[in-house]
Amino acid sequence: MSKTATDSSARTGFESRVQLALNVDNLDASIAFYSNLFGTEPAKRRPGYANFAVAQPPLKLVLIENPGQGGTLNHLGVEVGSVDQVDSEQTRLAGAGLASVDERGTVCCYAKQDKFWVQGAPNGERWEIYTVLADSATAGGPAEGSDCNCGNATQTAGAGAEALESAGSGCCN
């Protein structure tokens, strides 16, 4: 990820980290396993959802209870420290010819976020670039009229209808 110059909305001292969101059959068993594996407890736990802010290696591990889908990838992401960094990465990726689905002020995974979904991964994996604006008491869900499960999706950089469909099974399902 490229670095951005001074940004007044940046979280002080925040370093970017990769996010790995996994579907799990049993949230409690998964929390116990990953707490032992990474030596830390979840940073956030809600019904059917938990996330870990692992210091080393820098990782945001998200567990989404989705019975029958355990052990599968839900989505991937990169958490950045500011809206300016989200914008910078979206501009950089558009310059490289990658389309995106934009979501601003969306509530997803128990957090208000500004983000976008990158389109065109060669194997269909879903990547989001995001920043957390605030905590949320709700999981979030699809915006009215949107196929996307994580908020207010709008097409950018030439993304087609298939881009919205592929983002539709995002982090809040």
Side-chain angles (χ1 to χ4, degrees):
M1 310 275 20
S2 61
K3 299 243 180 197
T4 304
T6 348
D7 176 358
S8 60
S9 64
R11 291 182 273 171
T12 306
F14 183 84
E15 293 291 327
S16 295
R17 59 185 167 202
V18 171
Q19 174 187 307
L20 173 61
L22 299 175
N23 293 312
V24 299
D25 288 323
N26 181 307
L27 186 61
D28 290 332
S30 298
I31 288 171
F33 175 81
Y34 288 106
S35 292
N36 286 329
L37 181 65
F38 292 113
T40 188
E41 293 298 315
K44 184 185 293 186
R45 183 169 183 179
R46 303 286 193 278
Y49 175 90
N51 78 42
F52 291 79
V54 181
Q56 286 301 320
L59 172 68
K60 176 86 155 272
L61 176 66
V62 176
L63 304 177
I64 301 168
E65 194 164 42
N66 198 353
Q69 299 298 311
T72 63
L73 180 66
N74 189 284
H75 68 280
L76 300 160
V78 177
E79 183 179 7
V80 297
S82 71
V83 174
D84 285 351
Q85 288 176 297
V86 170
D87 295 342
S88 176
E89 288 304 314
Q90 191 169 27
T91 299
R92 182 182 69 79
L93 292 171
L98 295 175
S100 61
V101 176
D102 202 39
E103 293 183 26
R104 300 302 168 124
T106 189
V107 174
C108 177
C109 297
Y110 296 94
K112 183 176 179 185
Q113 304 173 358
D114 273 0
K115 66 179 169 183
F116 66 92
W117 292 92
V118 180
Q119 303 301 297
N123 298 298
E125 59 271 21
R126 295 182 320 254
W127 280 92
E128 66 176 329
I129 310 296
Y130 71 100
T131 192
V132 173
L133 304 171
D135 197 35
S136 173
T138 61
E144 188 173 326
S146 172
D147 289 335
C148 185
N149 276 350
C150 287
N152 302 312
T154 57
Q155 302 175 144
T156 59
E162 68 280 358
L164 287 174
E165 288 175 20
S166 69
S169 55
C171 66
C172 298
N173 57 352

